[in-house]
Amino acid sequence: MNSTAQMSVQEVSKPAIGIPVFGQVAVLGAGVMGAQIAAHFANAGIPALLFDLPKEGKDKSAIAKQAIKALAKQKPEPLAIARYASRITPCNYDDDLEKLSACDLVIEAIAERMEWKGDLYQKIAPHLNPEAVLASNTSGLSITELAAGLPADLRRRFLGIHFFNPPRYMPLVELIAQAETSPAVTDSIESFCVATLGKGIVRARDTVNFIANRLGLFSMMAAIHHAERLALNFETVDTLTGKSIGRPKSATLRTADLVGLDTMRHVLNNTAESLKGDPWASVYSIPGWLDTLVENGALGAKTKAGVYKKQEGEILVYEPADSSYRKSRVKIPGKVEKVLKDYKNPHRLAKLREIKDPHAEFVWCIQRDVFHYAAYLLDTIADNAREVDMAIRWGFGWKQGPFEIWQQAGWQAIAELIQEDIENGRTIASEPLPTWVREIDGAHTPQGSWSPSDNAYHPRSRLEVYKRQRDPELLVGEQPERREVLFENDAARFWLSDGDVGVLSFKTKMHTIDNAVLDSLNQAAELAEKQLAGMVIWHPDEPFSAGADLKSFMPVALKSILPGNTALDDLLQKFQQSCIRMRKSNIPVVAAVQGLALGGGCELMMQCDRVVAAHESYIGLVEVGVGLIPAGSGCMELARRASIKAAGGDSFEALKDIFETVAMGKVATSAIQAKAFGYLRESDIVVMNRHELLHAAIAQVRALGAANYRPPIETPIRAGGRAAIANFKAAMTNMHAGGFISDYDMKIGNFVAEALCGGAVDAGTELPESWYLRYEREGFRSLLKNTKTHARVKHMLDTGKPLRN
């Protein structure tokens, strides 16, 4: 394979030896899915050719060009930053087929028509690199049948690579080999998708709809089946099949709206046609209300009306009885709600079965039927139970897969209840549970996951790429790695990795920072400086940190308004110095960031010697949203970086974008964008797979140590001064006049300008860090006295959303 990938070391970390590097890929089909797959390759630093049919006229590649242009308008954004569109080259099948010879991987993503795909393969086969891998992104067509028309040598390099929509954000990719696919090719593609694209891989067998869609669609249709049987309305179904049972908040019918009701009907038609002999075939019947909505053009989110529609700010729900839309009506009995909220009770499912109420019966039945169907299918759709559970986790957003839920509820006890329901005719199908169910006491163990075909537990994949995942997602029944804990309290845990690297993990909700976390941060730094090679701040789950803990912080802050009370200033100084200690420590300190890094969390991250950030990280200084300014060293650090960037010249140009970013509370929606905003440096590392964060962070500690690490020497910051402040105030005046910001936004912006520019001094004045830190604290204290700030803080605590008053 080529090794000529045009990948920036600063933007995306390169795979380790043993992980294939693709220099260029091609995507055939510039529909929404094909274009977004190409976009995700672009995010990973891999140039992509995007092919589609030639268009009549001068520009035959116009269809692909339009698809690339449309990426900028789609939500959520397929591209990490807009300029990455330049990494995608528009092509057409008349003029550009010879370009395929330079591609290591070619992914076909055209319409789900077997004959169309076959014709396309015949057309491109002569132009492919003799070592290139050809793959289909089909969501359910037989890979074996698709391979039948290919040349023999190409069949060994052909497989299914099924991305889930949207490709940038959905973790799951299903790999489907056919009988002639080379195992080395499958291993290579898996390693590449995991490390370079950041995906979670499951290997599916070549069966209808593969794993995730087969069970995911069934779970939706089972819910619809039982809702009709028990006379439960749509909104009640979504209330009972969302977060209350560990599924996404879009639940069942909202998910159908998002997918598109026409798409869902099409998939149901194809599934019903393909699964006529399936004992559960009846569940795939298309409900009458679905036909009605599709025929009326109410296709879901894309037409702004489906099962739900928004009207005058209110969400209305479709009523099949009279084809109208009405207000939501949900009333879950208290006894059912009580059991549903008892998340940690392993007997929750069995209790629901005992309650004589349609809502409880509904939840039991939809879980029971998924367990029943998954057990029946396991031997045919997957090698082992792990593939099934991870497919549903990654593809449908469940917190646990069906076998995990079953095992946690008591494997044999639930099996007995399912068998009893089967014998009494309560289940959708009368098939008995497979005999292997009675022979084990759980699908997952520390030794691996159950494989009926081998009558044994299969261990996790031993591919080299997975050694980079120091903290992989664990299934129920698996055991976490044992670690030596250096200290642990209610706020944090400091443990040892690789013998001499300390890892600090916060234990607070959303990993917010309070006084106890600051104490733990300093304790860890002190211990690491004496005994260890370096320190990593990392959490096994998202987010990195949602910032300061407002609930614990505000009582101290409000008391400080009283004359003579210095508690707030003391706390702010402690916050600032704790963050800055990370940069000034005599050992390398690395922040491993995933998910949110907001406010104080962003400030802590910025003071570390190096940041390793997952691509899907959302980073920003958002204090203006609660009527405050960053005061944990964030303004100082951005001013310091602007001064360095200006290299002794005028700092104003370097500060312009920074001021806008902070004053408007902008949040970067990818780690790449965080570099553009200045929150991350060019030297900071971006990894595509969040499970590789700890591995990469420890590697950075090692690299800094190998270079004889010394903490940076503090140098004066060249101030933007009064001239820069005046320019920023003029810009805000224009925005205020245009109605884009409020009077109070103006007031907050003035404090931001002073904190970033060093106050009313001459431009270019060299000032110490402490000068800027004082401006941060003074601005923060002043704003805190204002009732409008109190209102913003309260609104954020109550709703989780900013208030612009």
Side-chain angles (χ1 to χ4, degrees):
M1 293 182 182
N2 265 321
S3 58
T4 56
Q6 304 299 305
M7 195 184 308
S8 166
V9 173
Q10 286 80 25
E11 290 182 343
V12 180
S13 61
K14 286 188 176 180
I17 294 172
I19 297 169
V21 178
F22 292 104
Q24 184 170 256
V25 303
V27 180
L28 312 179
V32 172
M33 195 64 180
Q36 290 200 32
I37 290 171
H40 193 60
F41 278 102
N43 291 335
I46 300 172
L49 307 180
L50 182 61
F51 280 79
D52 211 298
L53 295 168
K55 187 171 184 179
E56 292 184 7
K58 292 182 179 179
D59 188 357
K60 287 188 178 181
S61 296
I63 294 174
K65 282 184 180 177
Q66 185 58 40
I68 296 167
K69 185 178 179 181
L71 291 171
K73 301 176 182 178
Q74 292 170 14
K75 297 292 181 182
E77 295 93 341
L79 291 164
I81 48 177
R83 66 180 173 86
Y84 278 9
S86 65
R87 294 177 173 180
I88 309 173
T89 302
C91 299
N92 69 82
Y93 299 123
D94 277 1
D95 300 334
D96 302 308
L97 286 179
E98 71 278 1
K99 294 179 181 177
L100 291 173
S101 64
C103 296
D104 298 314
L105 173 63
V106 177
I107 298 177
E108 168 270 306
I110 67 171
E112 294 285 80
R113 294 282 293 273
M114 186 74 72
E115 64 274 20
W116 292 1
K117 293 178 188 285
D119 289 346
L120 181 58
Y121 296 167
Q122 293 299 316
K123 191 171 189 175
I124 66 169
H127 301 276
L128 296 180
N129 178 325
E131 292 300 317
V133 175
L134 174 63
S136 176
N137 182 57
T138 178
S139 60
L141 294 181
S142 170
I143 301 301
T144 300
E145 289 185 42
L146 288 172
L150 295 173
D153 183 61
L154 186 51
R155 287 200 293 272
R156 74 174 180 84
R157 294 178 280 117
F158 177 73
L159 75 167
I161 302 180
H162 179 210
F163 288 83
F164 271 61
N165 191 24
R168 172 183 167 186
Y169 299 96
M170 293 300 291
L172 180 62
V173 169
E174 292 177 313
L175 294 188
I176 311 97
Q178 36 86 29
E180 296 182 63
T181 306
S182 163
V185 167
T186 310
D187 288 350
S188 176
I189 292 295
E190 177 166 357
S191 297
F192 168 76
C193 288
V194 169
T196 307
L197 300 184
K199 294 303 178 184
I201 298 297
V202 301
R203 295 197 184 191
R205 291 186 174 161
D206 191 11
T207 56
V208 176
N209 290 354
F210 310 131
I211 298 174
N213 280 342
R214 182 74 173 272
L215 282 171
L217 179 62
F218 174 82
S219 72
M220 294 175 70
M221 296 311 297
I224 291 169
H225 166 84
H226 287 297
E228 290 182 352
R229 182 177 65 83
L230 295 166
L232 300 181
N233 59 31
F234 291 149
E235 61 270 40
T236 299
V237 170
D238 277 354
T239 301
L240 292 171
T241 58
K243 289 190 172 183
S244 65
I245 59 170
R247 298 184 190 178
K249 63 181 180 181
S250 58
T252 301
L253 283 313
R254 284 186 180 87
T255 296
D257 271 356
L258 291 170
V259 168
L261 299 185
D262 54 337
T263 301
M264 185 172 178
R265 185 171 73 163
H266 175 72
V267 171
L268 282 171
N269 270 325
N270 287 346
T271 302
E273 181 66 25
S274 302
L275 294 177
K276 288 181 177 178
D278 189 302
W280 283 262
S282 63
V283 85
Y284 297 110
S285 300
I286 296 173
W289 58 263
L290 179 58
D291 272 331
T292 300
L293 284 170
V294 173
E295 296 307 320
N296 290 339
L299 308 181
K302 58 189 172 186
T303 60
K304 298 186 178 179
V307 176
Y308 297 94
K309 78 171 182 178
K310 193 172 185 178
Q311 184 172 299
E312 298 178 354
E314 186 176 14
I315 303 295
L316 303 179
V317 63
Y318 180 70
E319 176 53 65
D322 58 6
S323 298
S324 66
Y325 284 89
R326 56 167 176 75
K327 292 184 178 181
S328 177
R329 298 193 301 262
V330 179
K331 186 173 179 59
I332 311 296
K335 58 185 177 182
V336 178
E337 277 195 329
K338 183 179 179 181
V339 176
L340 287 174
K341 289 178 179 178
D342 192 8
Y343 296 108
K344 295 182 180 179
N345 188 340
H347 306 296
R348 187 168 69 143
L349 269 180
K351 282 190 172 183
L352 285 168
R353 186 176 182 270
E354 294 170 1
I355 298 174
K356 303 303 180 186
D357 177 87
H359 302 83
E361 183 181 345
F362 172 80
V363 176
W364 160 253
C365 287
I366 64 170
Q367 299 273 33
R368 173 204 64 200
D369 289 339
V370 171
F371 300 162
H372 189 187
Y373 198 43
Y376 173 82
L377 289 176
L378 177 56
D379 199 23
T380 59
I381 63 173
D383 175 70
N384 61 70
R386 182 181 190 278
E387 309 295 327
V388 169
D389 280 345
M390 297 314 296
I392 296 299
R393 277 204 204 183
W394 290 332
F396 280 80
W398 294 17
K399 288 186 177 179
Q400 294 177 328
F403 291 123
E404 290 183 279
I405 300 169
W406 182 351
Q407 184 166 334
Q408 193 168 57
W411 185 266
Q412 288 298 340
I414 294 296
E416 288 179 10
L417 296 178
I418 296 172
Q419 190 59 45
E420 183 181 320
D421 281 1
I422 294 170
E423 292 168 0
N424 288 315
R426 297 174 187 151
T427 53
I428 295 173
S430 60
E431 290 292 317
L433 285 172
T435 55
W436 61 262
V437 169
R438 294 292 190 175
E439 295 167 357
I440 64 174
D441 197 30
H444 310 291
T445 71
Q447 290 73 44
S449 297
W450 184 252
S451 171
S453 56
D454 288 341
N455 199 38
Y457 287 97
H458 281 192
R460 282 175 172 259
S461 171
R462 292 191 172 92
L463 287 177
E464 191 72 21
V465 67
Y466 292 111
K467 294 179 181 178
R468 296 154 61 98
Q469 297 189 7
R470 303 292 189 93
D471 194 75
E473 289 185 51
L474 295 179
L475 295 155
V476 168
E478 292 184 317
Q479 296 295 324
E481 179 187 343
R482 296 185 67 179
R483 290 159 172 161
E484 181 182 346
V485 177
L486 300 172
F487 74 78
E488 185 168 9
N489 53 45
D490 290 341
R493 181 173 180 249
F494 192 47
W495 53 277
L496 195 63
S497 181
D498 290 25
D500 61 352
V501 177
V503 181
L504 183 67
S505 302
F506 303 164
K507 294 166 62 177
T508 49
K509 184 178 181 181
M510 298 286 286
H511 304 136
T512 51
I513 302 171
D514 57 18
N515 196 49
V517 168
L518 294 177
D519 287 340
S520 297
L521 189 65
N522 286 296
Q523 183 183 350
E526 184 175 352
L527 195 157
E529 286 167 351
K530 292 177 181 177
Q531 303 177 17
L532 304 176
M535 184 169 96
V536 174
I537 303 172
W538 168 87
H539 315 303
D541 55 337
E542 297 181 2
F544 176 73
S545 174
D549 179 7
L550 289 175
K551 285 186 178 179
S552 66
F553 174 80
M554 285 308 294
V556 175
L558 293 174
K559 286 180 183 178
S560 69
I561 296 173
L562 301 173
N565 190 312
T566 64
L568 175 61
D569 202 62
D570 293 342
L571 182 57
L572 290 176
Q573 287 195 61
K574 181 176 181 179
F575 202 124
Q576 290 174 337
Q577 295 308 318
S578 298
C579 291
I580 291 169
R581 182 173 184 172
M582 301 301 104
R583 174 165 51 92
K584 296 188 174 181
S585 175
N586 61 22
I587 55 164
V589 179
V590 176
V593 174
Q594 60 174 318
L596 302 176
L598 303 178
C602 179
E603 292 175 298
L604 173 61
M605 173 203 78
M606 287 197 296
Q607 289 299 337
C608 293
D609 296 299
R610 190 66 50 85
V611 179
V612 176
H615 185 269
E616 296 308 317
S617 296
Y618 306 90
I619 300 170
L621 295 173
V622 294
E623 285 82 355
V624 295
V626 289
L628 298 166
I629 67 169
S633 74
C635 293
M636 179 279 292
E637 178 59 22
L638 289 174
R640 190 177 76 87
R641 294 183 184 186
S643 179
I644 293 170
K645 184 177 181 179
D650 183 7
S651 295
F652 175 69
E653 286 300 317
L655 282 169
K656 276 198 311 184
D657 290 342
I658 287 173
F659 171 74
E660 180 180 330
T661 297
V662 178
M664 296 184 69
K666 287 185 178 180
V667 175
T669 55
S670 72
I672 299 298
Q673 192 177 61
K675 289 192 173 190
F677 283 2
Y679 296 133
L680 294 179
R681 299 154 293 205
E682 282 305 305
S683 59
D684 291 327
I685 306 297
V686 178
V687 297
M688 296 300 288
N689 195 314
R690 68 184 184 89
H691 295 297
E692 295 184 0
L693 273 177
L694 185 56
H695 173 86
I698 292 171
Q700 289 301 307
V701 168
R702 298 274 183 239
L704 291 168
N708 297 313
Y709 173 81
R710 295 289 183 275
I713 298 172
E714 182 179 332
T715 55
I717 299 171
R718 290 176 62 85
R722 60 174 67 87
I725 293 172
N727 279 316
F728 293 146
K729 286 184 176 179
M732 286 191 291
T733 299
N734 290 334
M735 290 185 71
H736 183 264
F740 296 106
I741 60 175
S742 67
D743 292 345
Y744 201 53
D745 289 329
M746 280 273 290
K747 184 179 182 69
I748 297 166
N750 288 337
F751 282 111
V752 171
E754 291 182 356
L756 286 173
C757 298
V761 297
D762 293 337
T765 302
E766 294 188 341
L767 301 169
E769 292 180 7
S770 59
W771 180 280
Y772 285 84
L773 295 174
R774 177 173 58 83
Y775 263 96
E776 286 185 5
R777 298 194 304 272
E778 288 177 355
F780 192 97
R781 278 200 309 268
S782 180
L783 288 167
L784 194 61
K785 296 176 182 178
N786 197 300
T787 56
K788 289 190 175 181
T789 287
H790 300 171
R792 290 194 179 195
V793 171
K794 184 178 186 303
H795 192 267
M796 178 63 74
L797 289 172
D798 291 345
T799 69
K801 298 178 182 178
L803 171 69
R804 293 291 185 185
N805 54 358

